[in-house]
Amino acid sequence: MRLLSILFFYTLFGDLFKDITISIIIGLGSFILGHLPITYRNIKTRKLRKFVGHSSKNGHSIIVTVPIFHPKDCLTDGSNNNRYKKQNLDNDESYFPGPENVMADNDVSASSFVITMLNPISKEIIIPQNDEKTLDIWQNHSIFCIGSPVSNMKTRLLFDQINEMNDPLKKLPIQWKEAPDDLYKVRLINTADNQEYISTKDLDYGLILKISNPFSPRDFIFVTAGIAEFGTLASSQYLKNNWEYLYKESKCKSFFCVVSVNPHHTQIINKVSFKVIDF
C-alpha cells in the first residue's frame, strides 16, 4: 500500500520536483559562477594592499614621485627664451619659453603603469611638487619613486635621508654611479652581490626596489628606476604585470629585482636577478 502511494505521488509530482531541483541547481551554479570573479578580485585587492603597505589598507593616500626636468636650467644665458621650437603652418620655425616642469615620454608611461596598478587600492594618489618639504611627504604613506637618484630629485633626497638614518654598515644595497665612459654616463651597482650593470645602445637595465619606510611604520617605499629611461619604463611595467609573483617570492618582505630590456623592443622584459633583503 505504501509503495502504491509513493508511486502515485511520484506520478503526479515527480516531474514538478525534478524541474524544481534542476532550477535550484542551475540557480546555485549561476550564483557561484557570477560571484567567483568578484571573490577573486577581492582576494587580489587584499593581497595588493598587503604588498603595498598599511596606509593603503586604511584608505590613505599613496605618494608617487616622478622625474621632473627644468629646461630653463639648461640655458647658458639663464633666460626663459628658446627652450622649445615649433613649426608653423607656413613651415617657419618659431621659438617660445613653454612649460618649465616637464617629463620625458617614457617616464610618463612608467608613471602610468604604477598608477594603474595602484588605482584599485588607493583613495588618492598624490604627486608632490618639488618645493614640498620632503619629511612631510614621507610620513604616513607608502611611497613610489619613479626614476633613479640621477633623474628624480625626490629619490635622491629619500636615499640620502635613509642612509643618514641607518647604521653606516647598513646602507641601501643599490647605487647609481656616474661613469664618463658609459654611453648613458650612469651605472647601476648591486652592492649586495657586487654586481655592476652598464647600459648600451641595445640594452638597458631597470630596478624594482622595495624597502620598509622608516618614516611610516608598516608602510613601504618602492623605487622603479633604470639606468636610462627605457629601464625605468621596463621596471615599472614589470612591477605592474608581475607584482603577484614578487609578492609571493619575497613573502611580502623587502627585495630588489633587476630587469633588462632592449630599447628597440620595450615590450620584452627579462628578469636578471632577484633577492630578498633585510632592510
Side-chain angles (χ1 to χ4, degrees), residues 16 38 47 85 88 97 116 124 145 157 192 194 223 253 263 272:
L16 177 62
I38 298 175
K47 190 185 298 184
K85 68 177 180 179
N88 298 327
T116 299
E124 181 183 19
C145 295
L157 292 173
N194 197 28
V223 177
K253 296 180 180 179
V272 177

Side-chain angles (χ1 to χ4, degrees), residues 12-25:
L12 290 177
F13 302 105
D15 291 339
L16 177 62
F17 282 130
K18 186 186 298 183
D19 292 340
I20 292 174
T21 303
I22 293 174
S23 298
I24 291 173
I25 293 173

Side-chain angles (χ1 to χ4, degrees), residues 141-188:
H141 296 287
S142 287
I143 305 164
F144 285 77
C145 295
I146 313 297
S148 73
V150 178
S151 62
N152 187 341
M153 184 58 66
K154 294 297 184 187
T155 307
R156 181 183 302 183
L157 292 173
L158 180 62
F159 276 28
D160 289 345
Q161 288 180 339
I162 291 175
N163 283 328
E164 288 176 4
M165 292 174 61
N166 286 320
D167 186 284
L169 298 178
K170 187 178 181 181
K171 298 292 185 180
L172 284 166
I174 294 294
Q175 296 178 0
W176 274 263
K177 178 182 177 183
E178 298 284 349
D181 57 329
D182 181 9
L183 178 65
Y184 294 106
K185 298 184 179 180
V186 179
R187 294 181 181 181
L188 173 63

Side-chain angles (χ1 to χ4, degrees), residues 17 51 56 80 83 96 125 130 175 186 191 215 244 273:
F17 282 130
F51 180 65
S56 67
N80 289 330
R83 292 210 300 271
F96 61 101
I125 294 174
N130 285 336
Q175 296 178 0
V186 179
T191 56
F215 309 100
E244 287 184 278
S273 67

Side-chain angles (χ1 to χ4, degrees), residues 45-249:
T45 299
R46 286 197 295 269
K47 190 185 298 184
L48 181 58
R49 289 186 187 279
K50 186 176 180 181
F51 180 65
V52 170
H54 182 72
S55 62
S56 67
K57 298 179 183 179
N58 294 336
H60 292 174
S61 303
I62 296 176
I63 302 296
V64 177
T65 74
V66 297
I68 300 294
F69 295 94
H70 306 279
K72 182 175 66 175
D73 297 338
C74 300
L75 296 176
T76 56
D77 60 359
S79 68
N80 289 330
N81 298 322
N82 301 343
R83 292 210 300 271
Y84 303 94
K85 68 177 180 179
K86 65 179 179 180
Q87 195 170 39
N88 298 327
L89 294 177
D90 56 3
N91 292 325
D92 292 333
E93 288 185 346
S94 61
Y95 295 84
F96 61 101
E100 168 59 13
N101 299 325
V102 297
M103 290 179 64
D105 54 353
N106 278 331
D107 289 337
V108 172
S109 298
S111 302
S112 71
F113 282 127
V114 172
I115 291 173
T116 299
M117 181 190 75
L118 296 175
N119 272 334
I121 62 169
S122 177
K123 181 179 180 181
E124 181 183 19
I125 294 174
I126 298 176
I127 300 178
Q129 301 300 313
N130 285 336
D131 56 354
E132 292 188 48
K133 293 182 179 179
T134 306
L135 283 178
D136 294 341
I137 298 172
W138 305 148
Q139 294 175 353
N140 302 319
H141 296 287
S142 287
I143 305 164
F144 285 77
C145 295
I146 313 297
S148 73
V150 178
S151 62
N152 187 341
M153 184 58 66
K154 294 297 184 187
T155 307
R156 181 183 302 183
L157 292 173
L158 180 62
F159 276 28
D160 289 345
Q161 288 180 339
I162 291 175
N163 283 328
E164 288 176 4
M165 292 174 61
N166 286 320
D167 186 284
L169 298 178
K170 187 178 181 181
K171 298 292 185 180
L172 284 166
I174 294 294
Q175 296 178 0
W176 274 263
K177 178 182 177 183
E178 298 284 349
D181 57 329
D182 181 9
L183 178 65
Y184 294 106
K185 298 184 179 180
V186 179
R187 294 181 181 181
L188 173 63
I189 302 175
N190 166 9
T191 56
D193 297 327
N194 197 28
Q195 182 70 43
E196 186 172 274
Y197 303 97
I198 304 173
S199 281
T200 67
K201 63 179 181 179
D202 295 320
L203 187 67
D204 195 15
Y205 291 95
L207 167 76
I208 304 167
L209 175 68
K210 175 186 177 181
I211 57 175
S212 298
N213 185 352
F215 309 100
S216 182
R218 295 191 290 176
D219 282 324
F220 296 100
I221 295 170
F222 291 80
V223 177
T224 57
I227 298 178
E229 58 181 314
F230 303 103
T232 300
L233 176 64
S235 58
S236 300
Q237 184 175 359
Y238 190 89
L239 175 64
K240 173 187 175 292
N241 295 337
N242 299 279
W243 68 263
E244 287 184 278
Y245 162 78
L246 296 171
Y247 170 87
K248 179 180 178 181
E249 289 297 305

